[in-house]
Amino acid sequence: MDSISIFLYALFIFCLFLMIWKILDQRRHQNCYILDYQCYKPTNDRMLSTRFCGEVIRRNKNLGLNEYKFLLKAIVSSGIGEQTYAPRMVFYGREECPTYHDGISEMDEFFHHSIDKLFKKTNIPPSLIDVLVVNISMLATIPSLSSRIINHYKLREDIKVYNLTGMGCSASLISINIVQNIFKIEKNKLALVVTSESLSPNWYSGNDRSMILANCLFRSGGCAILLTNKLDLKNKAMFKLKCLVRTHHGAKDESYNCCIQKEDDQARTGFHLDKHLPKAATRAFVDNLKAISPKILPIRELLRFSVLSTIHRVLSQNSGKFGARRPMINLKTGVDHFCLHTGGKAVIDGIGANLNLSEYDLEPARMTLHRFGNTSASSLWYVLGYMEAKKRLKKGDKVFMISFGAGFKCNSCLWEVVRDLRDENVWEDCIDNYPPKTLENPFLEKYGWLQNEDPSTFYVPDDYVIP
């Protein structure tokens, strides 16, 4: 072999190794890590007691006895406790006529609390942020809310900015997905995700049952999350993203209309929750599980489920009345912890039944719903915070997140715990009190007498004092 042939052969080998090295190096930089997160806890003067909730309902002159009974039943069965938070305009008695400033100030209060704390905890200055993703579904401002953050923290001029609205309770994972995709093509980046909901301009003061239900469930909250793909920060990270799957059923009319903002017959804007919502959520949930299960479960579990499903289908076709229970996939073979959206007690119960989860698995979601209510897209992070505060999260554990949102959407992802975690975060002052001895709601004891009232004679005197 002459020298030219040897040189060309060596050059080919070198180029081959260089290409392999570049592919491996690129894959190393494509990882998405959470450095830290900070949930928002409003001040105690915004806390909703049972008595004050009764006062807010009494102030709504559009409600009658039947609406009172409906709200009582909804609140008692909601799983929400007495320490959740509402926007300030409710405490000022202006829920029927909120101002533009109410929505802005509600968001500013959250931004300055959680983002400040996050930068302080991580010791990372705002000037190092490369990507900003903000998701506030029901408040659109000009300039955008992301611009308010950029202005307040004086972020860089070349920052990549994404301002999401209308994504609903599933927006957190959509924001994470945006960051994940950016990390796949750009190295050494820091991203800030800010997730919350503005309740101030969206409080419903009418009497449509499908719309007043939202007032019972949604509460103030939010979370700021710092993510990176920098290799030198890998050892400081809390979680590593393994996979993320998004499912959108907006093409189905029933799914699209089951969870939607609209006006009632008196032109009052509110958030309509349709009777088809459980069915739409189930369909989206099943389709999402079909997509993500092969990515997170071991082959043996996938084979077991496939074989049992085939046997069940064949027997059902042959015997017609075959009544054996449909086989269930066991997510616990690939998942250690379940971080569920706190959409309500029925949502948590439904997911628990469909996935055959234990009360231990459901405890973080139940306690989050009880302590903070449904904080929309940020609720997942309060659930994660509960797990961390209870010292459940150990290095190597897998955490499965799942959320639902208007559209109708179901998004899920799997995180790997990078190191043992024990920060109490937003649960710092109350984690020792959870789980409480009972989750029984005091509304029934205080307002149960409404059940015995006659609609034809019932009225609330103007001087009536809430007990």
Side-chain angles (χ1 to χ4, degrees), residues 204-245:
Y204 178 66
S205 55
N207 59 6
D208 188 313
R209 292 189 182 187
S210 70
M211 297 165 84
I212 56 178
L213 190 59
N215 291 352
C216 301
L217 297 175
F218 289 102
R219 296 291 186 267
S220 295
C223 187
I225 309 114
L226 192 61
L227 303 102
T228 189
N229 63 350
K230 292 187 175 185
L231 294 180
D232 58 341
L233 294 177
K234 174 182 175 181
N235 294 330
K236 295 182 180 180
M238 304 173 71
F239 304 95
K240 177 182 177 181
L241 183 62
K242 303 297 289 183
C243 65
L244 189 150
V245 171

Side-chain angles (χ1 to χ4, degrees), residues 148-308:
R148 292 184 71 84
I149 295 174
I150 291 171
N151 177 261
H152 181 79
Y153 292 99
K154 308 305 176 188
L155 303 183
R156 298 202 317 265
E157 294 180 359
D158 63 343
I159 189 170
K160 285 183 170 61
V161 186
Y162 301 85
N163 195 90
L164 308 182
T165 61
M167 294 292 105
C169 298
S170 64
S172 273
L173 297 191
I174 296 174
S175 298
I176 296 295
N177 190 213
I178 290 174
V179 173
Q180 178 191 28
N181 290 333
I182 293 174
F183 284 177
K184 286 180 179 179
I185 58 175
E186 297 193 29
K187 296 181 180 180
N188 299 317
K189 299 297 179 183
L190 280 167
L192 175 64
V193 169
V194 180
T195 176
S196 184
E197 189 56 88
S198 179
L199 300 183
S200 294
N202 297 293
W203 194 274
Y204 178 66
S205 55
N207 59 6
D208 188 313
R209 292 189 182 187
S210 70
M211 297 165 84
I212 56 178
L213 190 59
N215 291 352
C216 301
L217 297 175
F218 289 102
R219 296 291 186 267
S220 295
C223 187
I225 309 114
L226 192 61
L227 303 102
T228 189
N229 63 350
K230 292 187 175 185
L231 294 180
D232 58 341
L233 294 177
K234 174 182 175 181
N235 294 330
K236 295 182 180 180
M238 304 173 71
F239 304 95
K240 177 182 177 181
L241 183 62
K242 303 297 289 183
C243 65
L244 189 150
V245 171
R246 292 164 56 183
T247 302
H248 201 308
H249 280 186
K252 305 179 193 303
D253 291 342
E254 193 174 76
S255 296
Y256 177 83
N257 291 307
C258 73
C259 189
I260 192 170
Q261 188 180 27
K262 69 175 189 177
E263 292 182 339
D264 65 11
D265 295 337
Q266 284 76 43
R268 295 186 179 91
T269 302
F271 200 64
H272 167 75
L273 301 175
D274 194 86
K275 63 181 180 181
H276 299 297
L277 178 59
K279 181 180 177 181
T282 300
R283 280 198 305 241
F285 182 42
V286 169
D287 284 354
N288 188 272
L289 279 182
K290 287 179 181 178
I292 199 170
S293 293
K295 301 175 185 290
I296 66 176
L297 298 182
I299 294 177
R300 67 178 184 277
E301 173 58 21
L302 297 174
L303 288 173
R304 182 196 70 83
F305 178 73
S306 179
V307 170
L308 291 179

Side-chain angles (χ1 to χ4, degrees), residues 10-54:
L11 182 62
F12 172 76
I13 297 297
F14 173 76
C15 291
L16 181 62
F17 275 103
L18 181 63
M19 184 175 64
I20 294 174
W21 179 84
K22 282 188 175 182
I23 292 173
L24 294 176
D25 183 62
Q26 185 180 18
R27 288 180 65 87
R28 288 197 309 150
H29 284 87
Q30 288 179 347
N31 289 323
C32 181
Y33 296 97
I34 290 181
L35 285 179
D36 215 326
Y37 64 101
Q38 180 62 50
C39 292
Y40 174 49
K41 183 169 69 174
T43 51
N44 287 340
D45 60 339
R46 292 173 56 183
M47 193 175 288
L48 282 171
S49 66
T50 299
R51 184 181 181 280
F52 185 72
C53 286

Side-chain angles (χ1 to χ4, degrees), residues 328-388:
M328 299 175 65
I329 198 160
N330 184 9
L331 286 183
K332 293 184 181 181
T333 58
V335 176
D336 300 293
H337 309 281
F338 294 85
C339 191
L340 310 179
H341 170 55
T342 58
K345 184 176 181 295
V347 173
I348 298 171
D349 289 345
I351 297 176
N354 286 323
L355 298 183
N356 197 26
L357 302 182
S358 67
E359 276 304 312
Y360 177 84
D361 298 322
L362 299 177
E363 180 185 307
R366 291 199 194 282
M367 299 307 109
T368 298
L369 180 64
H370 183 268
R371 175 62 180 86
F372 295 100
N374 179 357
T375 58
S376 189
S378 64
S379 65
L380 290 174
W381 306 100
Y382 290 86
V383 179
L384 189 66
Y386 182 89
M387 296 177 188
E388 186 180 359

Side-chain angles (χ1 to χ4, degrees), residues 87 89-90 94-107 136-141 197-205 215 261 268-271:
M89 58 85 189
V90 175
R94 292 193 287 101
E95 58 267 20
E96 286 203 43
C97 52
T99 65
Y100 176 75
H101 178 72
D102 287 331
I104 294 292
S105 60
E106 182 186 5
M107 290 297 95
I136 313 293
S137 288
M138 299 177 72
L139 178 63
T141 67
E197 189 56 88
S198 179
L199 300 183
S200 294
N202 297 293
W203 194 274
Y204 178 66
S205 55
N215 291 352
Q261 188 180 27
R268 295 186 179 91
T269 302
F271 200 64

